[in-house]
Amino acid sequence: MLVPQWRVTVNSRCKRACGYCRPSGEAVATPKDVALDPDDLLRVAHAVRARGITSVKLTGGDPALYEPLVKTVRRLRDDAGFTEIEVISRHPRIGELADDLAKAGVTLFNVSLDTLDPVLHHEICNVNDHGQVVDAIKRCVDTGIPVKVNVVVLAGINDAEVPALVQMCENIRVDSVKLLDVIKDLDQGAESYSRRLLTKRGKTLPDTYLPLGEITGVLRSRAVHEETIQQGGLGHPMTVLTLASGMRVVVKDSTAGAWYGSVCRGCPFFPCHDALMALRLTADMRLQFCLLREDNTVDLAAAAAESGTALEHAVEAAFEMYADAYFRSSVPQPEVVR
């Protein structure tokens, strides 16, 4: 059986308001100021590890604002036995924590930066800290741990500067840049910051969607090697362009297709953008199969309070949702009128 990525939203807020995201980040709607208890997280981690999963992505919210982050990373490595621990952040504090996190066991820093323009940065995320984020990326690079920079490509907003942003990352010795297309159906969930796009640009979320083929073509001329990878057993196929410097440009374009399963049957959002890529643990102790629905999450809070094996059985049952996963070669793209 193919297994999903395991992603943990350690807290419920990142203190930003990116127009392509939502208040709860990767999680379905979650109350503010909620954070995972490290002991509960580790119990779930042990159960997930028992299913053969060796990697975990810590996200949110924002892990840089999760006070027990360093200790939790160390426990995931030393107690639960995870060999790949990725921390995904867009907050400058990740730079302050970088050395301690490297020693604790982080194997990949993933920091988001969507533009070279500080004014546009403020417009996108509603926070005026562009220089501090760039400095944080450099501090992460200085640890010697690989650093990935995520860039969400927004049509008519930052798409023209992607090659220059890639060049900047190459100059500061970033290991890889990941270009992501907008999750254009994210505003169909319970909450969204997409209203900011209407206020700032007069655009809806689908208006900012751009298939990444043209940008990939521009960067391909600089590549010395090209391959297709699939992150995790159920990840989207992604094009990887290796530049002469050794830096890789990873292109996640939803037109490459996605994985679906039994939980998708009868879903009003089918086919969707993110599909069944990951199993996420939310900050309020739910297991989440997809980004858009809350009615199919698994509440682990009661099971975690018991002294028996209820939590472990609930995690095991969640993995069964992926037993009949199948790949759909492409997701039909709506016509975008500009």
Side-chain angles (χ1 to χ4, degrees):
M1 179 177 74
L2 292 174
V3 293
Q5 295 179 28
W6 189 46
R7 304 172 75 100
V8 178
T9 58
V10 294
N11 50 11
S12 62
R13 293 293 183 269
C14 71
K15 304 190 185 301
R16 291 168 190 262
C18 299
Y20 53 74
C21 198
R22 54 191 181 181
S24 297
E26 286 202 20
V28 290
T30 307
K32 66 178 182 178
D33 300 326
V34 174
L36 277 167
D37 178 274
D39 291 334
D40 288 340
L41 193 165
L42 263 292
R43 276 195 65 191
V44 179
H46 280 284
V48 169
R49 184 67 185 82
R51 302 291 301 179
I53 304 291
T54 59
S55 64
V56 57
K57 300 175 187 290
L58 301 181
T59 180
D62 200 303
L65 302 176
Y66 181 61
E67 285 306 318
L69 178 62
V70 175
K71 292 181 180 179
T72 299
V73 167
R74 186 176 293 112
R75 292 179 67 185
L76 286 167
R77 180 192 64 183
D78 296 343
D79 299 344
F82 284 87
T83 57
E84 296 179 25
I85 303 173
E86 179 176 346
V87 173
I88 303 171
S89 175
R90 57 180 59 239
H91 196 283
R93 190 167 184 258
I94 197 65
E96 300 170 19
L97 299 172
D99 285 335
D100 289 338
L101 287 168
K103 294 172 185 174
V106 165
T107 57
L108 180 65
F109 289 105
N110 186 331
V111 186
S112 293
L113 183 71
D114 298 319
T115 178
L116 294 172
D117 182 352
V119 175
L120 181 56
H121 174 83
H122 181 267
E123 178 188 326
I124 290 172
C125 67
N126 205 38
V127 178
N128 188 23
D129 63 358
H130 182 272
Q132 295 96 306
V133 174
V134 174
D135 287 343
I137 293 171
K138 292 177 180 177
R139 292 180 70 171
C140 290
V141 169
D142 287 343
T143 66
I145 300 297
V147 176
K148 177 197 299 181
V149 172
N150 274 6
V151 181
V152 177
V153 181
L154 303 158
I157 299 176
N158 71 341
D159 53 314
E161 63 175 308
V162 167
L165 185 52
V166 168
Q167 182 65 61
M168 187 275 285
C169 291
E170 192 173 17
N171 292 344
I172 63 174
R173 297 178 291 111
V174 164
D175 184 72
S176 62
V177 174
K178 187 174 183 179
L179 306 179
L180 303 102
D181 55 359
V182 171
I183 301 178
K184 58 189 175 297
D185 51 13
L186 195 65
D187 58 353
Q188 297 183 49
E191 57 178 11
S192 172
Y193 280 130
S194 61
R195 64 186 180 276
R196 293 191 67 248
L197 291 168
L198 281 173
T199 301
K200 297 287 185 179
R201 295 275 174 158
K203 293 176 178 285
T204 66
L205 193 60
D207 289 336
T208 66
Y209 174 79
L210 179 72
L212 299 182
E214 183 176 335
I215 290 175
T216 303
V218 171
L219 295 170
R220 183 174 282 122
S221 64
R222 295 187 53 207
V224 297
H225 180 69
E226 179 175 344
E227 62 182 319
T228 300
I229 65 168
Q230 193 165 290
Q231 190 175 43
L234 298 173
H236 297 267
M238 297 182 293
T239 299
V240 180
L241 304 172
T242 302
L243 307 184
S245 64
M247 191 183 82
R248 295 170 301 143
V249 179
V250 182
V251 183
K252 178 180 177 289
D253 190 329
S254 61
T255 59
W259 289 83
Y260 298 87
S262 58
V263 72
C264 306
R265 294 191 188 117
C267 179
F269 302 119
F270 178 88
C272 62
H273 184 116
D274 194 68
L276 203 62
M277 177 186 73
L279 180 66
R280 292 175 173 89
L281 176 65
T282 67
D284 57 356
M285 282 290 285
R286 286 178 289 168
L287 288 177
Q288 168 187 335
F289 300 105
C290 67
L291 291 179
L292 299 179
R293 289 174 55 189
E294 298 190 43
D295 62 319
N296 61 6
T297 58
V298 178
D299 191 347
L300 296 180
E306 298 181 12
S307 57
T309 59
L311 185 144
E312 287 73 16
H313 288 317
V315 172
E316 183 176 356
F319 273 89
E320 293 303 316
M321 300 296 282
Y322 297 87
D324 61 351
Y326 65 94
F327 184 75
R328 193 172 189 270
S329 60
S330 65
V331 179
Q333 304 300 315
E335 181 181 358
V336 178
V337 179
R338 296 190 180 90

